[in-house]
Every structure is written in C-alpha cells, then in structure tokens.
Amino acid sequence: MAKNIQSLERAAAMLRLLAGGERRLGLSDIASSLGLAKGTAHGILRTLQLEGFVEQDATSGRYQLGAELLRLGNSYLDVHELRARALVWTDDLARSSGESVHLGVLHQHGVLIVHHVFRPDDSRQVLEVGAMQPLHSTALGKVLSAYDPVAHSEVMEAERRSFTGRTVTDADEFEAMLDLIRAQGWAADAEETWEGVGAVAAPVHDRRRMPVGAVAVTGAVERVAPGGVLRPELIAAVRDCARAVSRDLGAGRF
C-alpha cells in the first residue's frame, strides 16, 4: 500500500482547521491544535500562503483561508450546477437518440467527463464519469477548442497525437475545422479517436454567455453516421439539448 505524504496531510488538516471557525487563527493556535512544532507549522503555512490557499492578516499576523480556495470552490460549484441542470435534458437525449450521452468540461489540457447517460438498451456498458478525452480529436474536445479561448490555446500549443488515420493533426487544417465548427454550431468525431466510434457535440454556455462545457451523443459510427453521413436529426437533437441546458444556466436563447 502506498504511504501517505505527511506534509500534504498536515496541509489538509490546516485548511480544515481554518475552515472550521469564523475567526482567524495565529501560528501558536494552529501549531498547538495540530500537535506540530511552530517551525513546521510556519513552513506549511508559508507554502499555502504563496499558493494563495491561505492569507495572513497584516495587522494581527493571524491566518485565514485564501482566495484561491474560493476560486477552486466556485469551479466545483459551476460543474455541479452544470450537471444538475443537464440531468433531465441528457436523459431525454439518450432516450430519443438511442445512444450514449456525455457531458464534458475543460480540465488539465483535456475533456473531463462529468456526466454519462447509458445507451438505453440492454447492452453491457462502462460508466465513463471521470474519464479524460483529448481536445483535438473528440467531438466534445473540438467544440470546447472552438468556443473556449483557454481550450483553444491549450490544443494549439500541445502535440496533437494521431489516434487513427482520420485524426486531424496539422495546425492550419485544425484551425480551419474549428472555424467550420463555430459557423455550424456543432462538431463531429467520425473514427478520429476510436475506430468504429462516432460522436456529435454542441457547446453549453452559462449566464455570461461563456462556454462551460459540451454535450455529445456517442455511438457506433454506422448508427451515428450511416454511409459516412451524420444523421441530421441527431445533430438537431444534440444542439437542442445544449441550448436547453444553456437556457437553464441563464444563457437565454442562442
């Protein structure tokens, strides 16, 4: 069994201690509460302070939680709200399309799957919540790359690996594809990431009209794009779902 990292455990304990009360705590209070030497406690607090997780009051010298934790908390709440708003709409999309539905967000230079609705049949399926998908080759990733400036910067700066013979890796060709995605409002992946798998995705926006995620229908390529042509009703259904979730997030009509 892997050993726990003691310094991380102590840092986590400090954050929980600071989160447990309304008042600021001094170095002696923190060290005493956690059974640490003052020098050890000060070193950890200084590191947390440099990372923005802890702030020190200039007058009293006492410590409190920092703004970076608030930012991370808001990010979690945004994803939680996105999932909550999308539950009914993605269920309906899976039912109407007969395929799997994924909800993804930008995370660590890729797409993090935060919600997955199984294909509504009796086939054996694996829950993909928590899985990561590449930005440059998946329908979800291409939509985020087209609409989210951060995702766009990341995908253009990173190596675009070729997964199949259909993966677009050339920078100019990829940029042209993103222009088309913005113009049409959706993206597709026809065996660009996995052989035999196709997908269609559309962007989800929040009340600020900012892209916060994307929703996709994924299935066997012969069902998603029979004869090499994407099913128009599938594209329309994905876009309608993304618009509905966006409206629920306060984005209004698109």
Side-chain angles (χ1 to χ4, degrees), residues 45-67:
L45 283 167
R46 179 169 174 77
T47 301
L48 291 172
Q49 186 178 358
L50 290 172
E51 294 297 330
F53 296 134
V54 164
E55 295 175 356
Q56 186 178 27
D57 182 71
T59 303
S60 67
R62 290 175 174 267
Y63 295 90
Q64 64 184 20
L65 294 179

Side-chain angles (χ1 to χ4, degrees), residues 90-107:
T90 50
D91 281 351
D92 287 347
L93 179 58
R95 203 160 33 242
S96 65
S97 67
E99 302 293 350
S100 298
V101 175
H102 295 97
L103 185 69
V105 299
L106 177 66
H107 180 69

Side-chain angles (χ1 to χ4, degrees), residues 3-16 34 36 40 44 47-48 51 53:
K3 294 182 178 179
N4 293 339
I5 301 175
Q6 188 179 55
S7 59
L8 291 179
E9 288 182 330
R10 289 171 171 175
M14 282 185 184
L15 294 175
R16 292 192 187 98
L34 299 178
L36 300 174
T40 301
I44 297 172
T47 301
L48 291 172
E51 294 297 330
F53 296 134

